[in-house]
Structure formats: structure tokens, C-alpha cells
Amino acid sequence: MRISLFTFLLTVFFLSGCSQYTAVEYREVDKANYVVLKQETGQSVEGTVVRPEPHQIVLLDSRGRTVTVSKSVIQSIKRKQPVLDDFGRGIAEEEIRGHQARRNTTVYGIGGGILSFGISFFAGSMLGNASDRGATVMAATAAGGTLLGTALFMHAGRNKDRKT
């Protein structure tokens, strides 16, 4: 039972990262938006909008290639929440990634890992004392709690790095 609950929580945590994308209408797509275009064929195209035009969207994909997708073949559009500069203009994802540091991710990951290990070790020892398989329960609780806590703290650090 505990393993399935842990697996469930871990799955929810990792899938929550996908909630950054919101479904939008064609007319809501602006220059510098980061979008995922799902085509009628089932294929997806992902990238930063270079030019939204009345009948097509021109993207710059992760490899630096320009991709043009006709409006007639787009089934759905998901947009990452845009980051705006001081003047209300969108900032491209590539520009954010180019200037983004990883300092908070590292610090939060290390600090959160240490804190999570301490708390998990304490909780595991308490559970282990109450169980006939004490060492196994303690080790599983400490390992699981440390991994989950480190992942959560690193996620918070990544969010902070993106905002700064």
C-alpha cells in the first residue's frame, strides 16, 4: 500500500510540470510565445513563435530551425505562460534559457536533500521502531523521502531561477 501511494504522489508531482501549458485559440498566439502545435496527423511541433500570420504560424524549434505550420492543419495549440519584460512584451524561451542561471536549483536541491534526508530518517526510525521489519522500513522511508523532497526542492529552485 505504501509503495503504491508513493508512486502515485511521485507521478502527480512529475505530471504537474505539464500544467504550465494552457490551451489557447489561434488568435491568442503572439510573437515570442512558446507553443506546442498538435496537427491533425497527430504530430506535434514545438517552439517559439517567430511570426503569427493569419493563415500560418512560423516557429523556431529547439534545433534553431524555422518551421511553418498552416492554420488549416492545426488541431490544438498549447501555450506556455508567457514571460513579459518591463514594457509588457513577451520574452522568448531561448532568451530566458540563455540568461538563466542554475544557482537556485543547485542550492535548493542540496539544501532540500539534506533537510529531506533528516526528516525522512527521523520518520523512518519512528516507523521502524513500531514495525517488526525495522531496518527495511527505516531505509525505505529515508530513501523515498529524500528522493521526493530533493525533487520538490529542485523544482522550486528551477521556478525561482526562471523568474530571476
Side-chain angles (χ1 to χ4, degrees):
M1 176 71 180
R2 287 188 184 136
I3 293 175
S4 62
L5 178 61
F6 175 74
T7 305
F8 172 76
L9 291 174
L10 200 58
T11 303
V12 168
F13 168 72
F14 285 113
L15 290 178
S16 69
C18 300
S19 64
Q20 295 177 3
Y21 289 91
T22 315
V24 293
E25 297 292 324
Y26 187 88
R27 62 180 164 26
E28 297 177 77
V29 175
D30 294 321
K31 184 178 179 183
N33 284 168
Y34 193 82
V35 296
V36 177
L37 305 176
K38 185 174 180 187
Q39 299 177 23
E40 290 177 349
T41 61
Q43 184 181 8
S44 292
V45 180
E46 186 172 339
T48 302
V49 177
V50 177
R51 254 184 351 266
E53 297 176 350
H55 302 291
Q56 65 186 10
I57 295 178
V58 181
L59 300 175
L60 185 65
D61 70 6
S62 61
R63 296 180 186 159
R65 297 179 304 182
T66 302
V67 179
T68 303
V69 181
S70 174
K71 179 181 179 180
S72 62
V73 300
I74 298 174
Q75 184 179 17
S76 66
I77 303 173
K78 289 187 180 180
R79 176 179 69 186
K80 194 170 204 174
Q81 196 63 13
V83 177
L84 305 176
D85 65 8
D86 294 337
F87 301 105
R89 295 182 303 242
I91 303 172
E93 280 297 313
E94 287 75 21
E95 188 176 348
I96 291 171
R97 288 184 190 130
H99 290 85
Q100 184 175 348
R102 304 267 186 247
R103 185 180 41 175
N104 289 312
T105 304
T106 305
V107 170
Y108 279 45
I110 293 169
I114 293 169
L115 180 65
S116 298
F117 174 74
I119 292 170
S120 300
F121 186 81
F122 175 74
S125 65
M126 297 295 279
L127 290 171
N129 286 338
S131 173
D132 55 342
R133 292 181 286 171
T136 305
V137 171
M138 186 183 81
T141 304
T146 302
L147 290 174
L148 183 62
T150 302
L152 289 171
F153 275 95
M154 285 181 72
H155 182 71
R158 256 192 312 275
N159 287 342
K160 187 160 179 112
D161 281 333
R162 181 173 167 76
K163 290 178 184 175
T164 55

